Amino acid sequence: MRFSGFKVVKEALTGHRGWKPLWRDPEPQGHYDIVIVGGGGHGLATAYHLAATFGQARIAVLEKGWLGGGNIGRNTTIIRSNYMLPDNEPFYEFSMKLWESMEQDLNFNAMVSQRGILNLCHTDAQRDAFRRRGNAMLLAGADAELLDQDGVRAMAPFLNFDNARFPIKGGLLQRRAGTARHDGVAWGYARAADQRGVDIIQNCEVTGFRIENGAVKGVETSRGFIGAGKVGVAVAGSSGRVMQMAGMRLPIESHVLQAFVSEGLKPVIPGVITFGAGHFYVSQSDKGGLVFGGDIDGYNSYAQRGNLPVVEDVAEGGMALMPMLGRARLLRMWGGVMDMSMDGSPIIDRTDIDGLFFNGGWCYGGFKATPASGYCFAHLLATGRPHETAAAYRLDRFARGHVIDEKGVGAQPNLH
Amino acid sequence: MLIPHPLLGPRDAQEFTYLGDAALMQRPDPQAGEAAFADYVFQRDNPAGVHRELWYHEYGDRSWLVVTRDTTTHEILGAKLARNVKMGLPE
Amino acid sequence: MNARLSGGLIDRSKPLSFTFNGRTLQGFEGDTLASALMANGIRLVARSFKYHRPRGIFSAGSEEPNALVTLGTGARAEPNTRATMIRLPEGLVARSQNHAGPLGFDLWSVNDLAAPFFAAGFYYKTFMWPRAFWEKLYEPAIRNAAGLGRLSMQPDPDSYDKGFLHCDLLVIGGGAAGLAAALTAGRSGAEVVLADEDFRLGGRLLAESDPLDAATAADWVAKAEAELRALPNVRVMPRTTVFGVYDHGVYGAVEEVSDLPGAPLRQTLWRITAKRAVMATGATERHIPFRDNDRPGILLAGAMRAYANRWAVTPGAGKVAIFTNNDDGHRTALDLQAKGVNLLGVIDSRAGATPFGDYPIFAGGRVTGTSGRKGLRAIRLSWNGREEELSCSALGVSGGWNPNVQLASHHRGRPKWDESRLAFLSHGGPEGLLPAGAAAGEGSTAQALASGQAAARAALEQLGTPAADTPLPQGEDRQIRTEAFWHVPGKGRAWVDFQNDVTVKDIKLAHQENMRSVEHLKRWTTLGMATDQGKTSNVTALAVMAELTGRSIPETGTTIFRPPYTPVSLAVLGGGDTGKDFRPTRLTPTHHWAKAQGAVFTEVGQWMRAQYYPQPGETHWRQSADREAMAVRSAVGLCDVTTLGKVDVQGPDAAEFLNRIYCNMMGTVKVGKARYGLMLREDGFAYDDGTCARMGEEHFVVTTTTANAGLVLRNMEFARQCLWPELDVTLISTTDAWAQIAVAGPRSRELLSRVVDDFDLSTEAFPFMGCAELTVCNGCPARLFRISFSGELAYELAVPARYGHALMQRLMEKGADLGVTPYGTEALSILRIEKGHAAGAELNGQTTAQMMGLGRMVSVKKDSIGAVMSRREGLAQDGRRLVGLQAVDPQQAIPAGAHLLATGAAQTMANDQGWVTSACYSPHVGGHIALGYLEQGEARMGETLVAANPLQDQQIPVRIVPAHFVDPEGDRLRD
């Protein structure tokens, strides 16, 4: 079934009787060519691209709970390609281009909204670093603009310009950045993958890998053994737990990141704004809720919830930057478990086990990467070669000294 | 969170800075080579469950503690002075 | 205006005026805004989120989905406030929100006519063509229509605070169960905090007509409160909402300190650490969806009872009906009747239900529709096979009660279905949180009192405190029988979630489209996502979905709640740490002196540092900075460098310890000498540098960069305690203990000679990189280091911090004839770029010793942090090197952050060869210079490149030169 305005009108006039399930709930088959572990954004996007872009068939996505229930359903929905390092920026710009055509590709409105992201700077040194980053973005074919204080004021006059502990000096603006409706992305990929024959199997937890002679033969699941030619793991937040079943240790720690949404308000914030002197970033959803967040809690956690100090820290940042938010109310807060990698950058690579591939380590930036991560992981699974924009995301880069450390804080995951 | 400091009693976790797995105390012998150091610096067990980890009482007495904590519930099972742990001393 | 009923807990001797949408109205002390509006006959108070349906007051508590208003005016305007929770003060200004045009004629209500097009999830299926129209047309239209209230866009003018409380027992909720728990624990001597969101303790007791012992419930509550307040170990906190449960017994709470505009304190954020807590949070009534069940005048039956008993008001001037599936609905009927309300009767879904008093009952009946556009006029009753329309001005709906288990879910515990109570009870909640009363499904007053006491006793026992004997009053002990009747099937729209306009049909559509898991249902339809977080809708929706899937409720799923329990203002979460108070401000010892000189300051982390000292006639900062830099090169300058981190390292193993901390050899430094040192992280990258001075055989002074003062100490403590505790060494930060002033320039020695006490400053006696302890200015203890950041003959002189200001004054005074000049961070930066010293931009955590041209410093003769990993292939083969850059046209500024490309090369990432780290105009060179990292930079001296800054449309030709623009041989600093 194709979605369109016409279809919506027709169904409205005929009592909505014609809407079909967005995806099937198939029983798992005994064997697939490719099994993707993890029915989150990256897993579903991988399955979609395997089927739609790389012509693969007999694909299953195994999801422990409900599809889209991991970090794709609990992030702050920001999309952007404003990275500095050459091993990152082309990948995220590739992702941005995929975002720009996503709705037409998937025939699903994921509400990709390019309302821009404005990173504020508060010192000369920060501005210089932004200049380096903005120029790197332009060299990679992305868009970037450097604003001075007046430029920022024109865009966001409500910021604290007059009584700030750390005055706003300017900002780096990427107009093509913005937000997307996170659940819609998962649903769009799931529906499009399902339409192309991918079996999405919910409530199917992987409990082990069957590995014979150094090669993966399939996965043990809560619904029985499922054979597989290749297995791709995309289980951000649970990477440590899952790969441990294959006997692997990873350059990853699991940390909790909290996110927040306010009550609905009439439009306040134009795009995404990030504070450069504290931990606070914010955008406003189409429903009117301010969606905001800050730093990770900072200790290893699989608990999907955080603690008050970070809540207070984020609110302090918000109030320092936007004192007009004082009477807005926090409606809901929640936590997601992040794969914090040792250099803050992700991994899309084969493993030492034949046929077992790994995608993870996205830190708290996995959402924006969803389309390219799916594309590049599918490329690797289908062709055996890394996609050119993801070629640096290798597992052995740490031992070899080719780390991709945007922040320059080294092997301490909670600082990335 | 409250950290049961062995010298100072329960202290708010906000007084502490977190580092990570207590295995970071087991620095390889300098002769052990790059591979051993790469493993030490970059690889983690990252367990879902009981985790021995390092907290630094930065806004307190500047002790490093080895805290045993469950990463799925955040329950703290104990805390010792890292120095004593490293030297094999009693509490 | 509806006549007030008799009785109630309002003070009729204290009338209060307030306005709603500009109309001046009267209420009484004790009213909420909701009860006062009701007393004034106002039924239409709001519009729904999506369809802009007319809405009235639906509840009497914090679960209110409909009656959201904007309070106050100007910068104090506060949107989305629940009228049911606002204690009415004199002069309150309230307005309705989320409508275009007057509340009664909302233009956006056309959405309601178009409702068939706006079914659940419709926006995922359309607005995709043409692509560019989403941001330009569709989305702005959606955004403008969406949202609820409006922010003032002015800074919040009120004050907020945060505080910490510690107690044995936190009692959450001051109803029957909470009071019983607090009395029991309080009399036993435990430290108790009793918090309740209402402005009056008593909870549901205030809404009921039943006595406790012989007294009215309100009298008993007043007595209990008086006793609790008299106990020194009990803190009673009304208007305090416990909004979240965090780890290890930490609870977040917000106290409404004052609702008066301009009060010294508006709200306080409390972090309450409790050994145990009693969750006596009561229960919330469910409604029963039926066609057009959202009209003003349709309320929860229990709320109707509360309005009658506590506030002496009724929501309709005419007849009132009750629709129930349980016995509690009848209790409302009886209470209303006792107050003289004209009762149409009770429609009880249960066939064979009998009345509890003298009123008509429609057993087995259903409400199948309503009429009345802006307020209920009539209901449609289906009963005994007949359908009839009955005139009626208010309808109370009771679908049973949901225990308020939200807090118990905050650690992701999933509530468990209790089939006998037809309710979810808490399960797997946070350790130490004990549910009691209606929150535990113990709904009668007698049960609530007993279970509150039992919870307190259990907590006391766990804490080892003997429980004092605390007799409880006699309360009613009705058994409430409820039927599992979840909604009235039929045509039309039956609302489940009022605020987000989610109907039974939407749930059916979600089911049809395979959005069947609870989370998919919520996210597809937005059910339970409104400001009430589904308090009145979640369980009902689950029951409807269960019916559709043919499974039981527990098989269908459960519902989990996240903090906060009710919405919390961002201002109070920030706790007042805003504006200039966002972060602490650290001042250098010479700050006030610099200020008096007219210095301009800049933020350096938390420090404020003098950036430059403008002199008369200087109109641009560069004039000042250039003058200051030239003064250092030609005479002598003074700069406060106290902000650099200082760590005192002492002990027999200090030398060995520092050998392991620094990548270069440090243990061999002679007493009385200092050495430049570089620190690596264990991953082999450089992260900090500074000097290390050996003051004695077992005593070193380490300096760090300003930014890394804390980090270096942390890492050194890690090495000392966690890696090598066998080394006998101690560390202490002395950053704040010593004021340190750089005295730099060819005449620095001469100036210093005028302040030191009997100290030989000659190069022979005190050479470059010398250090010493001495006295200055007739006996002031001091430390002197002959180190240079500028490349000139230079010293840093440290005195105890309290003498910093005086030392600066003395040096200025003594150096007047030498041309002494204070200089700030701008000149400091120029001087160090000219000398090619790395600072933050070069030492940014992504660079190596080798890249900085210091590769040979990493000693291979000893082990040190990071040495092994610095030799990894990726680092060893990195060919980028620090170089100097000189603008080909000396007057063209080189932008820091520009990338280095071959002249004429296309501006692509493939052609990127490096970047500019720091840049300045060099008064010494007489042109613009810079530092940068460049591929194979060492081998490319003299080459011309382009510093490309496409971000600002600049292409600056630059020549590669060594990174020493001044005195490359270092003669000056050794002079």
Side-chain angles (χ1 to χ4, degrees):
Chain A
M1 180 179 12
R2 251 197 101 65
F3 287 161
S4 65
F6 173 75
K7 176 78 177 161
V8 168
V9 170
K10 180 171 167 258
E11 286 299 327
L13 298 175
T14 56
H16 297 287
R17 284 188 292 270
W19 296 117
K20 297 278 190 306
L22 275 86
W23 44 76
R24 301 163 294 134
D25 276 322
E27 282 301 312
Q29 297 172 24
H31 188 274
Y32 291 92
D33 286 359
I34 303 176
V35 163
I36 303 298
V37 183
H42 291 220
L44 292 166
T46 303
Y48 165 77
H49 280 294
L50 280 169
T53 310
F54 296 99
Q56 303 291 304
R58 293 178 299 280
I59 303 158
V61 176
L62 310 184
E63 167 54 48
K64 178 175 71 170
W66 40 281
L67 73 86
N71 290 334
I72 189 85
R74 41 180 69 236
N75 63 78
T76 46
T77 80
I78 296 167
I79 61 172
R80 58 185 171 92
S81 63
N82 56 355
Y83 284 72
M84 182 177 78
L85 298 177
D87 288 336
N88 272 332
E89 179 59 13
F91 172 85
Y92 287 101
E93 178 54 22
F94 176 50
S95 204
M96 182 57 79
K97 292 200 168 71
L98 292 173
W99 282 113
E100 288 173 325
S101 64
M102 175 177 288
E103 282 137 13
Q104 286 68 32
D105 294 345
L106 302 181
N107 177 233
F108 197 88
N109 186 359
M111 292 173 237
V112 174
S113 175
Q114 295 178 289
R115 286 174 289 122
I117 185 167
L118 176 61
N119 302 122
L120 298 170
C121 61
H122 309 264
T123 64
D124 291 351
Q126 254 182 335
R127 187 202 49 225
D128 293 348
F130 277 179
R131 197 183 282 118
R132 180 183 169 202
R133 170 141 64 116
N135 283 322
M137 291 161 67
L138 292 176
L139 294 182
D143 66 306
E145 292 168 46
L146 192 64
L147 303 185
D148 60 10
Q149 199 201 57
D150 288 342
V152 172
R153 200 188 283 266
M155 271 195 82
F158 48 83
L159 297 178
N160 183 0
F161 291 98
D162 304 325
N163 182 36
R165 173 71 180 79
F166 300 103
I168 297 164
K169 296 233 162 147
L172 183 65
L173 173 66
Q174 184 181 29
R175 289 192 193 271
R176 284 164 62 243
T179 58
R181 170 84 183 109
H182 57 353
D183 292 325
V185 176
W187 299 336
Y189 275 121
R191 174 170 164 273
D194 176 82
Q195 285 175 345
R196 286 161 180 79
V198 172
D199 281 358
I200 302 169
I201 301 159
Q202 303 185 67
N203 299 306
C204 179
E205 180 174 4
V206 169
T207 54
F209 294 92
R210 189 175 292 179
I211 295 164
E212 292 169 8
N213 302 323
V216 71
K217 298 296 175 192
V219 290
E220 310 287 351
T221 79
S222 55
R223 294 169 71 170
F225 174 74
I226 299 174
K230 294 172 187 168
V231 177
V233 177
V235 293
S238 300
S239 293
R241 271 199 266 215
V242 172
M243 296 312 282
Q244 193 186 31
M245 295 190 275
M248 282 181 68
R249 290 171 87 215
L250 296 171
I252 284 173
E253 285 179 5
S254 298
H255 283 262
V256 62
L257 175 70
Q258 301 192 62
F260 308 87
V261 65
S262 78
E263 295 179 340
L265 297 162
K266 292 295 175 197
V268 176
I269 310 285
V272 184
I273 298 177
T274 74
F275 189 20
H279 299 117
F280 178 72
Y281 59 88
V282 64
S283 66
Q284 190 170 15
S285 76
D286 286 343
K287 272 188 71 190
L290 302 173
V291 182
F292 58 100
D295 204 5
I296 57 175
D297 268 45
Y299 42 80
N300 286 50
S301 175
Y302 285 91
Q304 288 195 325
R305 59 186 175 80
N307 276 293
L308 262 184
V310 166
V311 181
E312 294 171 35
D313 183 57
V314 170
E316 285 167 15
M319 288 302 293
L321 184 65
M322 305 181 181
M324 90 298 182
L325 292 185
R327 278 167 145 87
R329 291 197 204 86
L330 171 68
L331 174 61
R332 207 164 51 236
M333 51 181 135
W334 64 94
V337 179
M338 310 290 122
D339 278 2
M340 298 303 294
S341 73
M342 290 291 149
D343 61 0
S345 294
I347 294 155
I348 301 177
D349 202 0
R350 54 175 70 251
T351 67
D352 290 339
I353 297 158
D354 252 7
L356 181 62
F357 296 78
F358 177 72
N359 174 329
W362 293 97
C363 299
Y364 42 78
F367 178 68
K368 70 179 100 63
T370 305
S373 168
Y375 191 104
C376 295
F377 200 34
H379 186 286
L380 179 67
L381 281 159
T383 69
R385 285 174 288 109
H387 185 262
E388 56 179 2
T389 63
Y393 296 154
R394 294 175 56 174
L395 268 167
D396 69 357
R397 69 172 183 267
F398 302 97
R400 289 171 53 241
H402 292 282
V403 291
I404 313 168
D405 185 353
E406 290 271 343
K407 277 197 179 169
V409 294
Q412 201 182 327
N414 64 349
L415 299 181
H416 284 292
Chain B
M1 287 210 291
L2 300 175
I3 307 274
H5 193 300
L7 305 177
L8 304 172
R11 306 297 310 176
D12 198 308
Q14 232 180 331
E15 296 172 2
F16 293 79
T17 303
Y18 179 82
L19 181 66
D21 196 320
L24 289 168
M25 294 167 72
Q26 309 307 320
R27 188 172 184 271
D29 183 273
Q31 307 308 318
E34 276 184 33
F37 266 89
D39 194 62
Y40 163 72
V41 174
F42 295 114
Q43 299 295 112
R44 298 285 188 273
D45 286 339
N46 193 27
V50 174
H51 189 226
R52 290 174 73 247
E53 57 196 26
L54 288 160
W55 294 75
Y56 174 52
H57 201 196
E58 185 146 29
Y59 306 99
D61 74 342
R62 304 203 323 266
S63 291
W64 278 91
L65 306 184
V66 175
V67 176
T68 307
R69 190 178 57 95
D70 188 318
T71 60
T72 60
T73 61
H74 298 168
E75 186 193 355
I76 292 183
L77 306 165
K80 295 177 179 176
L81 291 175
R83 186 187 177 85
N84 288 357
V85 171
K86 180 78 178 180
M87 297 188 81
L89 298 172
E91 304 289 295
Chain C
M1 174 153 182
N2 297 354
R4 287 270 184 178
L5 307 173
S6 61
L9 302 173
I10 48 171
D11 186 345
R12 287 174 165 81
S13 70
K14 291 182 180 152
L16 300 168
S17 311
F18 68 103
T19 69
F20 179 66
N21 285 344
R23 252 178 85 191
T24 301
L25 305 166
Q26 302 291 323
F28 294 116
E29 191 163 301
D31 263 325
T32 63
L33 175 60
S35 68
L37 286 169
M38 207 177 272
N40 284 277
I42 291 174
R43 303 216 288 172
L44 171 61
V45 296
R47 291 280 174 169
S48 68
F49 177 76
K50 188 167 162 187
Y51 300 136
H52 291 260
R53 300 266 297 182
R55 292 288 167 77
I57 292 154
F58 185 66
S59 75
S62 58
E63 71 271 31
E64 177 62 34
N66 285 341
L68 304 185
V69 299
T70 299
L71 285 191
T73 55
R76 291 196 164 85
E78 184 180 17
N80 304 343
T81 308
R82 288 153 297 164
T84 50
M85 293 303 289
I86 302 159
R87 177 174 68 174
L88 191 72
E90 172 63 31
L92 183 79
V93 177
R95 284 170 292 141
S96 57
Q97 56 182 36
N98 193 29
H99 47 85
L103 177 63
F105 302 94
D106 180 5
L107 298 175
W108 278 328
S109 60
V110 294
N111 285 3
D112 197 30
L113 301 173
F117 302 98
F118 298 159
F122 81 99
Y123 29 71
Y124 297 110
K125 301 168 179 171
T126 181
F127 303 131
M128 288 177 275
W129 187 90
R131 203 172 93 180
F133 274 35
W134 174 251
E135 281 89 351
K136 291 196 171 65
L137 185 70
Y138 304 131
E139 191 182 42
I142 291 172
R143 291 173 78 85
N144 277 315
L148 294 163
R150 208 173 281 285
L151 285 180
S152 73
M153 301 306 280
Q154 296 173 53
D156 190 320
D158 285 322
S159 293
Y160 300 83
D161 202 356
K162 64 173 76 168
F164 297 80
L165 291 174
H166 297 263
C167 60
D168 295 318
L169 186 69
L170 168 65
V171 180
I172 308 164
L179 288 170
L183 283 168
T184 303
R187 285 192 192 171
S188 309
E191 295 288 331
V192 177
V193 171
L194 170 63
D196 192 284
E197 62 179 354
D198 202 336
F199 56 84
R200 187 164 184 154
L201 291 188
R204 199 59 214 176
L205 289 174
L206 306 179
E208 308 297 0
S209 57
D210 301 294
L212 275 173
D213 284 341
T216 67
D219 285 347
W220 182 81
V221 170
K223 222 176 83 208
E225 180 175 352
E227 180 183 343
L228 290 168
R229 285 189 184 276
L231 286 170
N233 52 321
V234 177
R235 184 177 178 125
V236 179
M237 302 179 75
R239 309 192 79 187
T240 302
T241 303
V242 175
F243 65 79
V245 187
Y246 299 91
D247 283 318
H248 309 155
V250 176
Y251 293 77
V254 168
E255 181 181 10
E256 295 280 338
V257 181
S258 172
D259 47 21
L260 302 174
L265 187 61
R266 182 164 176 252
Q267 298 174 337
T268 297
L269 175 69
W270 291 104
R271 214 190 279 177
I272 305 173
T273 304
K275 291 180 184 143
R276 294 290 182 279
V278 173
M279 181 175 78
T281 45
T284 300
E285 200 168 11
R286 297 191 284 253
H287 66 102
I288 304 171
F290 51 88
R291 183 176 191 168
D292 293 333
N293 59 331
D294 65 330
R295 300 193 192 282
I298 302 177
L299 281 78
L300 291 169
M304 210 177 239
R305 189 158 88 230
Y307 283 112
N309 287 330
R310 178 170 169 187
W311 290 289
V313 288
T314 166
K319 286 191 173 183
V320 177
I322 304 294
F323 179 31
T324 185
N325 65 1
N326 65 75
D327 294 349
D328 194 61
H330 293 265
R331 192 173 174 188
T332 302
L334 288 172
D335 279 8
L336 292 176
Q337 210 173 26
K339 290 267 184 179
V341 172
N342 188 350
L343 197 63
L344 175 72
V346 175
I347 302 144
D348 192 319
S349 67
R350 298 170 293 180
T354 53
F356 287 66
D358 181 19
Y359 52 78
I361 182 160
F362 306 92
R366 315 265 187 271
V367 177
T368 56
T370 65
S371 58
R373 213 170 75 73
K374 291 174 196 168
L376 185 68
R377 278 204 323 270
I379 58 170
R380 204 166 174 77
L381 172 66
S382 170
W383 180 59
N384 263 351
R386 282 178 300 148
E387 290 255 350
E388 59 183 319
E389 185 146 301
L390 300 173
S391 171
C392 157
S393 67
L395 175 68
V397 182
S398 180
W401 293 77
N402 289 328
N404 289 332
V405 297
Q406 283 87 345
L407 293 173
S409 276
H410 286 183
H411 287 192
R412 300 188 61 77
R414 296 186 173 273
K416 212 168 178 176
W417 184 251
D418 183 316
E419 188 61 33
S420 68
R421 290 181 171 92
L422 291 178
F424 280 102
L425 296 182
S426 64
H427 180 72
E431 208 190 321
L433 180 66
L434 311 166
E442 306 288 333
S444 76
T445 308
Q447 283 175 331
L449 289 164
S451 82
Q453 180 160 72
R457 283 176 165 275
L460 291 169
E461 195 185 323
Q462 289 165 22
L463 299 174
T465 307
D469 191 34
T470 309
L472 294 173
Q474 285 291 318
E476 59 80 23
D477 196 13
R478 297 184 188 86
Q479 290 304 304
I480 304 291
R481 292 161 302 172
T482 306
E483 178 188 52
F485 179 76
W486 297 104
H487 70 112
V488 179
K491 286 183 185 291
R493 285 177 294 169
W495 269 260
V496 180
D497 180 326
F498 288 97
Q499 194 182 127
N500 271 353
D501 279 324
V502 182
T503 64
V504 172
K505 271 189 174 179
D506 291 314
I507 299 173
K508 286 183 178 164
L509 186 57
H511 175 259
Q512 182 181 333
E513 301 192 273
N514 198 13
M515 287 294 194
R516 292 176 194 179
S517 90
V518 178
E519 288 293 335
H520 283 157
L521 168 67
K522 283 170 70 173
R523 288 154 188 261
W524 186 245
T525 63
T526 74
L527 182 133
M529 310 290 259
T531 61
D532 58 322
Q533 290 288 283
K535 287 191 178 70
T536 55
S537 61
N538 279 347
V539 175
T540 307
L542 199 60
V544 173
M545 183 55 91
E547 185 183 297
L548 290 165
T549 55
R551 292 180 298 179
S552 68
I553 288 176
E555 281 166 351
T556 304
T558 177
T559 173
I560 177 166
F561 302 92
R562 291 162 170 158
Y565 176 67
T566 52
V568 178
S569 78
L570 257 64
V572 77
L573 286 174
D577 291 348
T578 182
K580 297 282 189 201
D581 298 328
F582 170 55
R583 290 287 183 262
T585 300
R586 298 174 78 180
L587 302 182
T588 65
T590 63
H591 183 88
H592 298 292
W593 175 85
K595 201 168 177 185
Q597 308 307 305
V600 172
F601 293 91
T602 184
E603 296 79 13
V604 180
Q606 292 181 349
W607 291 100
M608 298 303 292
R609 294 188 73 179
Q611 190 175 8
Y612 55 96
Y613 295 81
Q615 296 298 302
E618 292 173 350
T619 55
H620 190 278
W621 66 267
R622 246 193 56 197
Q623 293 171 304
S624 314
D626 289 357
R627 172 184 49 74
E628 292 167 18
M630 286 308 282
V632 173
R633 297 255 176 258
S634 63
V636 58
L638 302 175
C639 183
D640 189 327
V641 293
T642 302
T643 63
L644 296 176
K646 309 175 199 75
V647 184
D648 236 56
V649 183
Q650 300 197 35
D653 293 324
E656 173 60 22
F657 178 76
L658 290 170
N659 259 346
R660 300 184 193 186
I661 294 294
Y662 284 104
C663 74
N664 51 319
M665 200 60 89
M666 204 52 85
T668 52
V669 175
K670 302 247 177 328
V671 174
K673 292 285 279 185
R675 186 175 285 175
Y676 173 76
L678 185 65
M679 293 185 195
L680 310 184
R681 293 190 306 245
E682 194 69 278
D683 69 354
F685 288 85
Y687 88 98
D688 203 69
D689 69 349
T691 56
C692 179
R694 192 165 197 168
M695 312 306 289
E697 199 55 46
E698 299 183 1
H699 181 198
F700 292 78
V701 172
V702 164
T703 65
T704 76
T705 61
T706 300
N708 286 333
L711 178 63
V712 169
L713 180 66
R714 185 193 311 161
N715 290 348
M716 288 171 73
E717 285 288 5
F718 173 76
R720 188 181 75 90
Q721 296 176 44
C722 300
L723 298 181
W724 305 301
E726 69 280 8
L727 295 183
D728 188 356
V729 59
T730 55
L731 310 172
I732 191 160
S733 167
T734 61
T735 305
D736 296 87
W738 294 90
Q740 195 147 318
I741 293 172
V743 184
R747 309 192 79 168
S748 56
R749 182 183 289 129
E750 197 173 349
L751 171 56
L752 276 182
S753 69
R754 300 176 185 181
V755 296
V756 298
D757 303 336
D758 293 328
F759 188 82
D760 185 353
L761 283 167
S762 69
T763 282
E764 297 69 40
F766 194 65
F768 178 56
M769 297 310 272
C771 67
E773 286 181 303
L774 71 169
T775 62
V776 295
C777 306
N778 298 320
C780 176
R783 289 172 174 177
L784 186 65
F785 310 90
R786 190 172 159 189
I787 53 181
S788 174
F789 202 42
S790 58
E792 300 298 329
L793 169 69
Y795 302 82
E796 288 184 14
L797 178 60
V799 293
R802 63 188 180 281
Y803 299 120
H805 183 123
L807 177 66
M808 184 62 108
Q809 281 179 315
R810 181 68 59 89
L811 287 168
M812 286 299 292
E813 197 182 293
K814 297 276 186 188
D817 62 316
L818 303 174
V820 69
T821 302
Y823 63 102
T825 56
E826 290 296 343
L828 188 73
S829 176
I830 292 169
L831 294 164
R832 72 95 190 166
I833 292 173
E834 288 176 342
K835 184 62 186 168
H837 274 306
E842 290 75 32
L843 194 54
N844 67 354
Q846 299 169 321
T847 55
T848 62
Q850 191 175 260
M851 286 173 71
M852 288 191 288
L854 305 173
R856 276 177 301 186
M857 276 181 76
V858 185
S859 172
V860 292
K861 293 185 195 148
K862 62 166 180 107
D863 178 33
S864 66
I865 300 280
V868 172
M869 295 313 273
S870 75
R871 298 181 192 117
R872 279 178 296 166
E873 158 211 318
L875 280 70
Q877 290 173 5
D878 193 329
R880 295 174 298 177
R881 292 292 179 275
L882 187 67
V883 295
L885 300 165
Q886 211 164 337
V888 171
D889 171 356
Q891 296 317 309
Q892 260 192 321
I894 308 170
H899 287 240
L900 298 171
L901 277 73
T903 308
Q907 302 210 351
T908 64
M909 203 161 241
N911 290 330
D912 194 1
Q913 299 190 28
W915 74 100
V916 178
T917 52
S918 309
C920 69
Y921 175 81
S922 165
H924 173 77
V925 171
H928 285 276
I929 61 167
L931 300 175
Y933 284 106
L934 177 66
E935 290 289 351
Q936 315 304 328
E938 269 170 332
R940 297 170 68 176
M941 294 302 145
E943 202 178 312
T944 300
L945 289 173
V946 167
N949 180 27
L951 203 53
Q952 292 166 299
D953 212 15
Q954 287 178 311
Q955 313 289 325
I956 314 293
V958 292
R959 193 164 32 251
I960 305 166
V961 296
H964 302 284
F965 297 89
V966 58
D967 188 29
E969 288 74 37
D971 294 338
R972 295 191 190 192
L973 39 79
R974 291 191 175 80
D975 184 19

